[in-house]
């Protein structure tokens, strides 16, 4: 529990301006502090010894992130800043002094895991700091009482919050980033970070969205649309490639809406980013809702056909019934969704369209559900995220009359069976493909690569393949993957223009050290 001298700061607006110190300047200042040496004769009291043992910046921190790639990006930035300031990030929760829990509010089970982790940490006498969409949307929940909170737009201040938590204080930073009254996309993009995968850079291009979906809790946390300027995003991509990254993921709550708040749009950003991508490196687009991509279809088709962009788009449909979509306030009808998919399939041969479906939304009839089943049968989506509806507290959909639990369960099962009734990759056996190798499979038996259509291809685990573009012959296909045999006469191509960072190494410190070097010469 927090001590009586808690500094409880809630709903703080974090105003930023061009005169503020950058994170790197803050970092440099922190590193240049020299501790006062004690004279030998000074004796330490018990109280001083105890205080010394709690010097912030020396503890081990375990971080757990739930949810989307935007949340994962936030987690990478928080880990990087903590490591850069002296904390040791650990993969072992038992040896950690502090648990940093980065939450997701999309579904009840994710929040349940988060709540259980808080309880577990408290039972083990760990210091707890919480972040992500749950505490941002509902900071006054009983189980968050007394805990320090980092708001989704305050991740650049994670070190301050953890420092205070280590000392037994409770600090809550939940405000919005603003400049001259305008809401910003979030914390600066040039902060130190630790990439979960040193080959993949996740860039959040905007936060929030323009919709007000009746089932969505994320809106309560991320708010309305706020986009990062194109120059900042291009510079972030440039820096990533200089650190050996060979794949960039663009993420946000709705990439299609990017720029509408700052007088630009997604295609304009993408054409600028494409100029920065080295040969063999790839760009993956994030989730986009149908309304905001409709007016950009021509340009999007051209971009998805670009050799350095995956021909992949995640467009959530949620339901094939117009009445259900209306109750969800999705702001499109099923014909709009079909127009997006049909157009891209025609103009981008082989394009992968991933989608999401919610089963058992309040008011969904058998006819509504059958329309959704027919849609999946017609389009045979290779990637389909099936979600049983969970009413999230405080959302309009939670107040509607609910579909009985057993019906929701049955519909989820039935849709799942339809999805598993077809194999989208069988016809690709025998093809020769260029694939980019970036990850290791869950069972550690293979490396995971992706072809131009962002389809998963498992390849032999040979160290010389990691981070390389290789040529394979597809010899086997499963439901979610293909297996490829490397073509021996072809040589692996290296897209990275620099050596990738080591796993756990902090990105962005090159800029910090350069700044400090320049500072020492100018002073």
């Amino acid at each position: 529990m927090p001590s009586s001298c808690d500094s409880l700061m809630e709903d703080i607006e974090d105003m930023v301006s061009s005169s503020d110190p950058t994170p790197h300047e803050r970092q440099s200042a922190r590193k240049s502090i020299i501790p006062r040496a004690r004279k030998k004769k000074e004796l330490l009291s018990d109280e001083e010894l105890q205080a010394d043992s709690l010097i912030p910046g020396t503890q081990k921190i375990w971080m757990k992130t739930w949810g989307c790639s935007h949340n994962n990006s936030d987690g990478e930035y928080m880990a990087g800043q903590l490591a850069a300031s002296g904390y040791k990030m650990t993969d072992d929760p038992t040896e950690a002094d502090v648990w940093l829990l980065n939450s997701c509010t999309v579904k009840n089970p994710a929040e349940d895991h988060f709540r259980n982790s808080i309880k577990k940490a408290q039972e083990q006498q760990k210091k707890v700091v919480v972040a992500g969409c749950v505490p941002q949307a509902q900071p006054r929940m009983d189980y968050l009482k007394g805990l320090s909170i980092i708001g989704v737009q305050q991740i650049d201040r994670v070190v301050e919050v953890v420092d205070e938590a280590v000392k037994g204080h409770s600090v809550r930073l939940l405000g919005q980033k603003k400049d001259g009254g305008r809401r910003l996309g979030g914390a600066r993009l040039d902060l130190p970070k630790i990439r979960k995968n040193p080959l993949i850079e996740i860039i959040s291009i905007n936060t929030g969205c323009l919709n007000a979906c009746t089932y969505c809790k994320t809106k309560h946390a991320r708010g309305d649309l706020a986009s990062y300027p194109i120059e900042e995003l291009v510079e972030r991509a440039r820096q990533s490639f200089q650190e050996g990254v060979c794949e960039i993921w663009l993420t946000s709550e709705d990439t299609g809406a990017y720029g509408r708040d700052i007088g630009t749009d997604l295609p304009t950003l993408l054409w600028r980013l494409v100029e920065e991508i080295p040969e063999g490196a790839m760009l993956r687009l994030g989730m986009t809702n149908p309304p905001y991509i409709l007016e950009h279809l021509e340009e999007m088709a051209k971009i998805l056909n670009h050799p350095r962009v995956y021909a992949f788009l995640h467009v959530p449909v949620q339901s094939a019934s117009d009445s259900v979509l209306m109750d969800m306030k999705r702001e499109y009808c099923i014909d709009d969704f079909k127009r997006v998919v049909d157009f891209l399939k025609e103009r981008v041969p082989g394009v992968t369209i991933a989608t999401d479906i919610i089963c058992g939304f309040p008011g969904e009839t058998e006819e509504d559900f059958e329309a959704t089943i027919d849609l999946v049968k017609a389009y045979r989506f290779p990637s389909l995220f099936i979600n049983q509806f969970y009413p999230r507290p405080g959302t309009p959909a939670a107040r509607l009359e609910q579909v009985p639990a057993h019906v929701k369960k049955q519909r989820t099962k039935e849709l799942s069976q339809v999805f598993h009734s077809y194999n989208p990759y069988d016809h690709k056996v025998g093809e020769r493909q260029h694939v980019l190798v970036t990850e290791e499979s869950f069972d550690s038996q293979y490396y995971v690569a992706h072809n131009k259509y962002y389809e998963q291809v498992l390849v032999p685990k040979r160290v010389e393949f990691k981070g390389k573009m290789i040529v394979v012959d597809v010899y086997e296909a499963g439901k979610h993957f293909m297996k490829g045999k490397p073509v021996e006469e072809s040589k692996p191509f290296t897209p990275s223009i620099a050596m990738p960072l080591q796993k756990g190494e902090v990105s962005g410190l090159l800029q910090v050290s350069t700044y400090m070097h320049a500072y020492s010469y100018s002073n």
Side-chain angles (χ1 to χ4, degrees), residues 380-415:
R380 295 164 69 94
F381 302 103
S383 182
L384 177 62
F385 302 94
I386 301 169
N387 300 294
Q388 184 176 317
F389 176 73
Y390 288 99
R392 300 297 288 127
T395 60
R399 297 192 294 271
L400 300 174
E401 189 178 338
Q402 303 297 306
V403 171
H406 71 278
V407 176
K408 287 195 287 188
K409 202 171 180 181
Q410 178 55 36
R411 287 178 186 173
T412 305
K413 186 180 171 186
E414 192 179 328
L415 185 59

Side-chain angles (χ1 to χ4, degrees), residues 212-229:
C213 301
T214 56
Y215 55 80
C216 182
K217 191 78 180 166
T218 307
K219 177 80 174 189
H220 296 198
R222 299 278 182 182
D224 289 328
L225 181 72
S227 306
Y228 284 100

Side-chain angles (χ1 to χ4, degrees), residues 256-271:
Y258 170 79
R260 292 172 84 95
D261 57 317
I262 56 171
T264 186
D265 56 39
L266 183 62
T268 305
L269 168 66
L270 295 176
W271 285 124

Side-chain angles (χ1 to χ4, degrees), residues 118-360:
I118 292 172
K119 192 178 171 190
K120 202 170 174 184
Q122 290 167 332
E123 286 166 357
Q124 295 178 33
Q125 308 294 303
K126 307 289 186 186
K127 303 281 188 188
V128 184
V129 175
V130 294
C133 291
V134 172
Q136 180 73 50
Q138 294 176 287
R140 292 177 179 83
M141 294 286 279
D142 278 350
Y143 69 89
L144 298 176
K145 206 167 276 180
L147 298 181
S148 287
I149 297 175
I150 302 155
V152 294
Q153 286 214 323
Q154 300 289 333
I155 59 170
D156 55 335
R157 299 179 67 183
V158 62
V159 175
E160 297 171 53
V161 177
V162 171
D163 283 353
E164 291 304 312
V166 164
K167 292 186 281 194
H169 302 157
S170 172
V171 179
R172 298 185 160 203
L173 301 180
L174 292 158
Q176 305 295 323
K177 286 266 186 287
K178 290 188 178 178
D179 188 10
R182 186 178 70 80
R183 186 163 171 263
L184 301 177
R188 295 172 64 106
L189 294 169
D190 59 353
L191 295 167
K193 75 191 298 190
I194 295 177
R195 295 186 185 95
K196 197 173 174 185
N197 183 337
L199 298 171
I200 298 174
E201 165 74 359
I202 306 171
I203 303 179
S204 166
I205 62 172
N206 55 268
T207 192
C209 71
L210 293 169
N211 290 6
C213 301
T214 56
Y215 55 80
C216 182
K217 191 78 180 166
T218 307
K219 177 80 174 189
H220 296 198
R222 299 278 182 182
D224 289 328
L225 181 72
S227 306
Y228 284 100
I230 286 178
E231 290 309 322
E232 287 181 29
L233 294 165
V234 169
E235 184 51 45
R236 181 69 213 177
R238 204 176 282 140
Q239 181 196 324
S240 306
F241 291 127
Q242 286 164 1
E243 293 179 337
V245 159
C246 62
E247 186 169 293
I248 284 184
W249 296 358
L250 300 185
T251 182
S252 79
E253 283 66 61
D254 186 353
T255 56
Y258 170 79
R260 292 172 84 95
D261 57 317
I262 56 171
T264 186
D265 56 39
L266 183 62
T268 305
L269 168 66
L270 295 176
W271 285 124
R272 286 291 309 280
L273 285 172
V274 160
E275 292 170 16
E276 302 295 329
I277 305 170
E279 188 185 349
M282 296 298 287
L283 176 70
R284 190 191 87 173
L285 302 187
M287 190 270 286
T288 175
N289 284 312
Y292 305 108
I293 208 71
L294 271 168
E295 64 193 73
H296 301 310
L297 285 178
E298 290 275 358
E299 286 300 295
M300 290 305 296
K302 289 177 194 167
I303 289 160
L304 292 173
N305 274 315
H306 192 283
R308 294 193 287 280
V309 179
Y310 285 120
F312 167 88
L313 205 57
H314 178 191
V315 189
V317 63
Q318 306 301 10
S319 172
S321 158
D322 282 344
S323 65
V324 172
L325 291 173
M326 195 177 289
D327 288 343
M328 290 178 170
K329 284 201 174 171
R330 290 291 288 166
E331 296 185 17
Y332 58 86
C333 62
I334 192 59
D335 283 347
D336 293 332
F337 173 79
K338 288 177 178 176
R339 191 144 56 90
V340 170
V341 178
D342 294 344
F343 185 93
L344 293 177
K345 276 178 171 289
E346 183 193 331
R347 299 294 183 91
V348 189
V351 67
T352 296
I353 304 290
T355 195
D356 302 2
I357 287 172
I358 295 173
C359 293

